[in-house]
Amino acid sequence: MPGNLDYIARVSDDPHTPVNQSAPDPEQWLADHGDALFRYALLHVADRSVAEDLVQETLLGALKARESFAGRSSTRTWLTGILKHKICDHVRRKTRRQPEEDLAAADELIADQFNQHGLWSGGPRKWRGDPSSAFDNAEFWDVLTRCLEALPERLRAAFAQREIEATPTEEICKLLDVTATNLWTLLHRARTRLRACLERNWFRSTD
Amino acid sequence: MVSQYRLGKSQYLKRLLHIWHLLNAPCSEITESISRAQETELPFWERLAYKLHLLYCSACRRYVRHLEALRVALRRIAGELRDPSADAPVGPKLSAAARERIRRELRY
């Protein structure tokens, strides 16, 4: 895109250059990347209005920072990077205000999956279909969002950071302000609850 | 180092009981080990215990498979969302109202 390169060259020559016509257009960002950013945010926060706000914050943040966008990465990558920061800010705000889960007490939703001897009571069944192809189905998105929504904020954030972003555990501990041992418990609870919820509402085979 | 080899009788017994408990851990405890193994290296006996358990427990094997499949799917979809050339046609979209609101904010 020669127009783009022209813009970058001009900005680097003079930071006060008014944005010219070929500059990246924020409304075009919304049109091209809005839905993808929204879905990405939804996987993390499981709440449509929060996800919408995060997309808005991301695009406004991008607008302010657009002169620092040197075009080294694609617009989508750049915007997703900003979104990830907004997600972390949101998680920090939300979890600071919420009481911590009682990690010493047993998690009843998990205890329900086992009998009194600690053996599965009817647990993990054979799944119909594969999670990778399930994302091609709009209804699966609804089910996944509802299952993620059912998790407490800290469990969901720990799960999303670890399973989607593959964030190192030390960083997640800092983000959520928990010890490593507590993070292991949060992750185990999130995984076990989410697996059961998805099985119950989507993957349970009919036979 | 030396002190390790000078465990008293009761300490040996404690250690043995601990290992016995690990090797007989029920599914509820095994799933905790399986999950923690994703984040850290487990002590030898705990690792051995859950691996042995998986040999004969098909439900826990499924638990592992399901979580792996879910992880793969989530990372794949996140990767696709970062790549504009792979936009999937289905999935939730910004509502018209939200889109309009964001557009107004961007103009201002």
Side-chain angles (χ1 to χ4, degrees), chain A residues 1-30:
Chain A
M1 288 211 283
N4 244 341
L5 291 175
D6 180 39
Y7 162 68
I8 291 154
R10 288 183 58 175
V11 168
S12 57
D13 285 337
D14 174 14
H16 303 295
T17 308
V19 177
N20 68 12
Q21 285 304 308
S22 63
D25 173 12
E27 289 194 37
Q28 197 61 42
W29 294 340
L30 177 63

Side-chain angles (χ1 to χ4, degrees), chain A residues 66-112:
Chain A
R66 74 162 136 187
E67 298 195 356
S68 68
F69 175 52
R72 274 187 298 268
S73 56
S74 76
T75 309
R76 176 71 66 86
T77 309
W78 176 58
L79 291 173
T80 314
I82 299 172
L83 173 62
K84 281 191 208 174
H85 280 107
K86 300 290 176 193
I87 290 170
C88 286
D89 289 344
H90 168 79
V91 165
R92 242 176 254 121
R93 271 199 311 271
K94 269 303 254 247
T95 52
R96 289 279 144 83
R97 270 190 273 128
Q98 277 193 344
E100 281 185 43
E101 287 77 19
D102 186 0
L103 295 176
D107 182 324
E108 283 179 20
L109 288 175
I110 291 178
D112 283 350

Side-chain angles (χ1 to χ4, degrees), chain A residues 22 29 32-35 38 53 63 70 76 81 88 102 108-109 114 121 124-125 130 141 148 164-165 168 179 184 190:
Chain A
S22 63
W29 294 340
D32 292 347
H33 310 295
D35 286 332
F38 177 65
D53 287 348
L63 187 59
R76 176 71 66 86
C88 286
D102 186 0
E108 283 179 20
L109 288 175
F114 300 95
S121 55
R125 307 281 180 80
D130 174 59
W141 276 93
L148 284 168
I164 303 175
E165 307 295 337
T179 62
W184 296 336

Side-chain angles (χ1 to χ4, degrees), chain B residues 78-92:
Chain B
E80 283 177 10
L81 290 174
R82 283 191 288 261
D83 173 11
S85 66
D87 267 347
V90 299

Side-chain angles (χ1 to χ4, degrees), chain B residues 85-102:
Chain B
S85 66
D87 267 347
V90 299
K93 289 178 171 8
L94 276 173
S95 67
R99 200 175 277 279
E100 192 44 48
R101 195 187 70 214
I102 295 172

Side-chain angles (χ1 to χ4, degrees), chain A residues 39-40 76 124 163 191, chain B residues 35 62 71 75 81-82:
Chain A
R39 287 178 200 180
Y40 203 94
R76 176 71 66 86
E163 301 288 10
R191 287 169 177 143
Chain B
S35 184
R62 265 194 215 124
R71 179 179 310 123
R75 287 186 186 170
L81 290 174
R82 283 191 288 261

Side-chain angles (χ1 to χ4, degrees), chain B residues 34-47:
Chain B
I34 290 169
S35 184
R36 204 162 74 253
Q38 300 292 329
E39 274 74 57
T40 184
E41 194 172 335
L42 298 181
F44 174 80
W45 285 105
E46 192 179 346
R47 198 165 65 235

